[in-house]
Amino acid sequence: MPVARPETSDVRVIAHVDMDCFYVQVEQRKQPELRGLPTAVVQYNEWQGGGLIAVSYEARKCGVKRSMRGDEAKAACPEIQLVQVPVARGKADLNLYRSAGSEVVSILAQSGKCERASIDEVYLDLTDAAESMLADAPPESLELIDEEVLKSHILGMSRKDGDDFKESVRDWICRKDADRRDKLLSCGIIIVAELRKQVLKETEFTCSAGIAHNKMLAKLASGMNKPAQQTVVPYSAVQELLSSLPVKKMKQLGGKLGTSLQTDLGVDTVGDLLQFSETKLQEHYGINTGTWLWNIARGISGEEVQGRLLPKSHGSGKTFPGPRALKSLSTVQHWLNQLSEELSERLSSDLELNKRIASTLTLHASAFKSRDSDSHKKFPSKSCPLRYGVTKIQEDAFNLFQAALREYMGPFGSKPGNKQETWRITGLSVSASKIVDIPSGTSSIMRYFQSQSTAPSRSADGCVQDHVEMTPSATEGCSVQRSTEAQAIIHEEDTGVTYTLPNFENPDKDIDLVSKEDVVSCPSSEVTVIPTQLESNRSTQTKRTGRKINNQNEKNRGMPSIVDIFKNYNATPLSKQETQEDSTVSSTSRRANFSSSSHSNKVNQEVEERRETDWGYKIDEIDQSVFDELPAEIQRELRSFLHPNKRLNTSKSKGDGSTSSIAHYFPPLNR
Ligand code: TTP
């Protein structure tokens, strides 16, 4: 069955650029004497020489694999150079690699719409550039074609015995009778070769690329010929490519869905899916997945390249394999503190450099239980509004963990005396998502956020003293925290039970959780969102009025509220239902910059009206106490930001905030 061909008017030219053995290249640039030598980057660790996370192509030729430990790699390749990943807070510090990735992104972004897909991968939409080239200097008119272009692998390119490879590529690229799709692709080949050369010149890094008409095919192609090569997928080659592609190799089919296709439908390759009708696939997997499967079998993917140079989220994680699995709340808290510290640091730098704020904190963990019938139960992921500041992230992360642990262990797990039921944590990660840009003109608000990153204040008993009422857990305050700890002692006791430990051979790659997929996407469907205490107290809070709050004491309070304000402020008018159900809807493209004082009254009036529509409340009804909680500087700025025309009467406190939903965002203190 032939694969569907899109109309020529829909044709896009997409490239997927993937750095070669990226961490190794970064280390080799730092230590040029390592260039050309078999090299691997290892995760710091005493055990068997640490786990390999990146392997140079020279080392791969000697049989060294990423799954090996340092000692194994040395046995396979005695001359291998092992470089340790930088370490901070007892875990891998990826900043060096991240900024190296950013160098590449900034070069590639000049060529067209650019999406940073991971620490070392980028998608480019080169359609416009290819169209211009085709109009101005089509490949067939070029006298000289660069060597790098001529080394391209063009899938399905016919080549007679004895034909020179490069000559065949030249003929394919310069065909006068090629259809428009292939001509555009030829332009893409030339552009990408040039970009790769530029990346090499400016960063000293080699990369490989896939060039096709959509993201899915470009990604498949980029890994086919590495290192430092590019592969092209013309439409005529799609069917053959997919007919031999094992389903599990396809992005999103590596897991359960791929297994079900194999076992339930007897499908081995993506091409095998062609035998099923769309209806049949929908019957098995639902409307959306069924249609998606039908499309990918034909090489169709409508997924657009997102113009995004910055990560969609930030994450910090660590794995604790085998005997290193965590078994006490205190060690979990220790590691969550480290991870939260790193996350907070990255959030601060994102705020400072890119003027972006994140609004959701998510905790993921992997765990196993001893001796229970339910050992495959997944450790639930939990989310809550993100509060800026190390202490608050640490507190919230730990509370999320405890809430998740209670759910994971179930009612019997927390029963005092149930000493048989114990848990082990084999992976922890915290991530910050739903990142939005801060509108311009809010510099002091940003400084305020930054100043939130103050050191935790703890009492002698180790309890975090401030803001306990805003923690995401249903539990509150030091006393509760202590009681949770006491409960945990029962959980944690090593009862001498023999564990079926998960794969001991697994190297401990704490950075696996975040490095490759630096852009951590939160599986929102699997995440339970835990309301902050403030949310559950909304109704009572809105009734409080005119309280005197000591701003100094408030300095360390978390401010998810401001984040919400920005988001809702920026949103286009939503239906009432949308406003209520998803207060996080926001997008850069929808953003209007209201900071300019040069707006005409008419515009301001429209803006006022829109704000009322967007937020569903009148600015004049804002509870004064909400503002009182903020430092004066922020109050002033926020006031002019919210209400450029009128000044709120700061001396007057509004009596009843019950009609004002902004009170939800600026919670009064619960004292
Ligand atoms: P990859 O792009 O998967 O691999 P690579 O760049 O090392 O090699 P290749 O040429 O085959 O693309 O990963 C990019 C970097 O991410 C890699 O250099 C190290 C890091 N990484 C991990 O830390 N853990 C992992 O499990 C993987 C897959 C990658």
Side-chain angles (χ1 to χ4, degrees):
M1 193 183 296
V3 295
R5 292 161 73 93
E7 295 303 315
T8 43
S9 57
D10 293 340
V11 172
R12 305 209 72 76
V13 179
I14 309 293
H16 177 256
V17 179
D18 185 13
M19 307 310 293
D20 303 315
C21 55
F22 188 47
Y23 289 12
V24 171
Q25 287 205 78
V26 176
E27 295 297 343
Q28 286 177 331
R29 183 172 71 170
K30 224 167 75 184
Q31 303 178 59
E33 66 277 13
L34 296 179
R35 281 192 198 284
L37 301 180
T39 309
V41 174
V42 281
Q43 169 89 34
Y44 71 99
N45 184 310
E46 304 292 302
W47 190 49
Q48 293 183 7
L52 269 54
I53 52 172
V55 180
S56 77
Y57 282 83
E58 292 83 0
R60 291 183 203 192
K61 277 189 200 144
C62 305
V64 178
K65 296 200 171 71
R66 205 202 311 260
S67 55
M68 291 179 171
R69 310 232 23 122
D71 292 352
E72 282 175 89
K74 275 193 184 143
C77 175
E79 63 277 24
I80 193 160
Q81 308 290 315
L82 298 177
V83 185
Q84 293 206 342
V85 169
V87 177
R89 302 184 186 93
K91 67 180 288 297
D93 177 6
L94 306 180
N95 281 331
L96 179 68
Y97 311 119
R98 265 188 215 109
S99 50
S102 304
E103 285 176 50
V104 176
V105 171
S106 62
I107 297 166
L108 296 176
Q110 293 161 17
S111 59
K113 211 190 218 184
C114 174
E115 176 182 329
R116 189 172 187 171
S118 82
I119 201 162
D120 76 331
E121 278 173 285
V122 165
Y123 287 102
L124 296 171
D125 188 335
L126 300 171
T127 313
D128 291 345
E131 298 262 16
S132 311
M133 181 186 264
L134 195 56
D136 301 340
E140 67 214 49
S141 70
L142 299 178
E143 281 180 14
L144 267 181
I145 299 217
D146 192 89
E147 275 293 294
E148 198 55 48
V149 175
L150 298 179
K151 287 195 272 173
S152 305
H153 300 264
I154 302 173
L155 299 187
M157 179 182 80
S158 61
R159 197 167 140 225
K160 291 190 208 91
D161 278 351
D163 278 2
D164 178 66
F165 179 81
K166 290 183 185 171
E167 278 311 309
S168 304
V169 173
R170 184 195 304 275
D171 290 348
W172 194 93
I173 288 174
C174 298
R175 274 174 311 151
K176 285 203 172 74
D177 60 346
D179 70 10
R180 189 176 150 73
R181 301 176 189 93
D182 283 354
K183 284 190 176 180
L184 281 170
L185 218 46
S186 295
C187 296
I189 298 172
I190 295 170
I191 295 167
V192 173
E194 190 51 45
L195 282 171
R196 289 182 35 245
K197 279 173 63 177
Q198 206 180 330
V199 168
L200 180 61
K201 193 168 144 216
E202 292 185 28
T203 67
E204 302 176 29
F205 300 143
T206 66
C207 58
S208 300
I211 305 147
H213 292 297
N214 64 42
K215 280 171 87 172
M216 175 186 91
L217 297 169
K219 162 110 182 157
L220 276 177
S222 68
M224 293 177 80
N225 293 287
K226 280 190 139 243
Q229 295 172 76
Q230 57 185 47
T231 307
V232 188
V233 191
Y235 268 116
S236 54
V238 172
Q239 195 173 357
E240 201 184 323
L241 169 67
L242 297 179
S243 69
S244 55
L245 185 75
V247 271
K248 290 276 194 173
K249 292 264 179 219
M250 180 61 111
K251 201 177 154 204
Q252 289 168 325
L253 292 183
K256 283 185 198 155
L257 181 55
T259 310
S260 161
L261 288 172
Q262 288 172 324
T263 51
D264 302 335
L265 297 188
V267 164
D268 289 325
T269 70
V270 176
D272 289 347
L273 282 168
L274 284 172
Q275 59 190 290
F276 299 99
S277 70
E278 188 174 359
T279 320
K280 183 88 186 156
L281 291 169
Q282 287 176 336
E283 274 168 21
H284 270 86
Y285 300 106
I287 305 274
N288 291 342
T289 307
T291 300
W292 179 76
L293 288 169
W294 190 88
N295 278 329
I296 61 155
R298 289 155 183 80
I300 300 171
S301 157
E303 205 192 322
E304 284 201 20
V305 173
Q306 316 280 320
R308 176 165 46 75
L309 308 185
L310 299 168
K312 225 163 46 174
S313 56
H314 300 290
S316 174
K318 181 165 175 69
T319 55
F320 308 95
R324 273 191 294 278
L326 307 182
K327 54 183 178 182
S328 71
L329 274 186
S330 55
T331 50
V332 167
Q333 188 169 26
H334 165 82
W335 282 112
L336 281 178
N337 285 348
Q338 309 302 311
L339 302 179
S340 303
E341 216 176 283
E342 189 195 338
L343 183 65
S344 178
E345 207 171 275
R346 288 173 62 195
L347 286 168
S348 300
S349 98
D350 201 5
L351 178 65
E352 192 177 322
L353 299 175
N354 310 314
K355 317 238 179 313
R356 302 195 311 161
I357 39 177
S359 56
T360 300
L361 176 72
T362 303
L363 173 120
H364 296 289
S366 47
F368 67 96
K369 283 189 254 183
S370 66
R371 225 190 63 83
D372 79 320
S373 50
D374 201 12
S375 61
H376 295 300
K377 186 174 168 184
K378 270 184 82 177
F379 195 89
S381 294
K382 299 274 174 199
S383 283
C384 71
L386 191 147
R387 303 187 296 148
Y388 271 68
V390 182
T391 331
K392 288 171 257 334
I393 296 176
Q394 288 173 333
E395 269 179 40
D396 291 351
F398 188 52
N399 281 316
L400 288 175
F401 175 83
Q402 291 183 97
L405 183 63
R406 280 192 292 273
E407 192 177 316
Y408 180 66
M409 295 305 287
F412 302 114
S414 55
K415 224 178 183 180
N418 185 358
K419 295 195 173 191
Q420 302 301 312
E421 194 69 300
T422 51
W423 49 268
R424 294 289 184 266
I425 297 297
T426 53
L428 276 177
S429 83
V430 286
S431 63
S433 59
K434 297 201 177 149
I435 302 180
V436 292
D437 292 350
I438 299 182
S440 55
T442 53
S443 58
S444 60
I445 295 182
M446 281 175 60
R447 280 201 303 278
Y448 179 64
F449 271 113
Q450 281 155 358
S451 75
Q452 297 292 296
S453 309
T454 47
S457 70
R458 280 170 191 274
S459 65
D461 62 3
C463 281
V464 177
Q465 287 179 315
D466 51 357
H467 338 308
V468 281
E469 75 283 8
M470 284 188 67
T471 58
S473 156
T475 61
E476 279 182 52
C478 281
S479 55
V480 181
Q481 219 168 334
R482 271 195 296 269
S483 77
T484 318
E485 198 72 52
Q487 247 184 35
I489 292 167
I490 297 160
H491 294 167
E492 289 165 22
E493 266 180 12
D494 195 339
T495 52
V497 177
T498 315
Y499 292 95
T500 323
L501 285 168
N503 194 359
F504 263 77
E505 278 85 57
N506 269 349
D508 56 335
K509 291 175 185 166
D510 51 323
I511 60 179
D512 285 1
L513 288 163
V514 286
S515 59
K516 177 62 187 156
E517 286 306 319
D518 194 40
V519 185
V520 179
S521 61
C522 293
S524 50
S525 56
E526 292 172 17
V527 173
T528 314
V529 178
I530 300 187
T532 55
Q533 189 64 28
L534 79 95
E535 280 169 332
S536 52
N537 285 345
R538 269 179 184 175
S539 55
T540 46
Q541 285 168 352
T542 50
K543 295 208 173 88
R544 283 193 206 107
T545 53
R547 293 172 308 108
K548 270 264 170 255
I549 305 288
N550 177 351
N551 282 340
Q552 200 50 43
N553 288 344
E554 292 305 301
K555 281 252 159 158
N556 282 333
R557 274 181 68 92
M559 285 290 153
S561 47
I562 293 184
V563 179
D564 286 339
I565 284 279
F566 286 143
K567 280 182 308 194
N568 291 334
Y569 186 75
N570 290 328
T572 47
L574 300 168
S575 72
K576 203 168 178 119
Q577 195 185 2
E578 277 172 317
T579 315
Q580 282 164 355
E581 285 177 3
D582 184 5
S583 63
T584 62
V585 175
S586 171
S587 110
T588 318
S589 57
R590 293 183 197 161
R591 183 166 306 114
N593 181 353
F594 297 131
S595 65
S596 163
S597 55
S598 65
H599 277 167
S600 69
N601 285 343
K602 185 164 179 295
V603 172
N604 275 329
Q605 191 187 334
E606 280 168 13
V607 167
E608 285 302 326
E609 281 162 8
R610 246 193 74 194
R611 275 185 209 142
E612 287 178 16
T613 326
D614 291 356
W615 291 359
Y617 72 94
K618 292 195 169 68
I619 288 165
D620 290 341
E621 292 174 0
I622 294 171
D623 188 334
Q624 185 58 47
S625 63
V626 161
F627 280 95
D628 291 345
E629 289 174 15
L630 298 163
E633 182 195 14
I634 305 296
Q635 287 186 31
R636 265 196 307 280
E637 182 169 348
L638 206 55
R639 223 175 279 124
S640 63
F641 175 63
L642 292 173
H643 206 146
N645 271 354
K646 297 178 216 167
R647 287 179 67 82
L648 274 176
N649 181 357
T650 50
S651 62
K652 196 181 89 189
S653 184
K654 192 98 170 112
D656 180 5
S658 57
T659 54
S660 162
S661 61
I662 197 170
H664 300 173
Y665 300 111
F666 288 85
L669 262 191
N670 189 4
R671 277 172 200 239

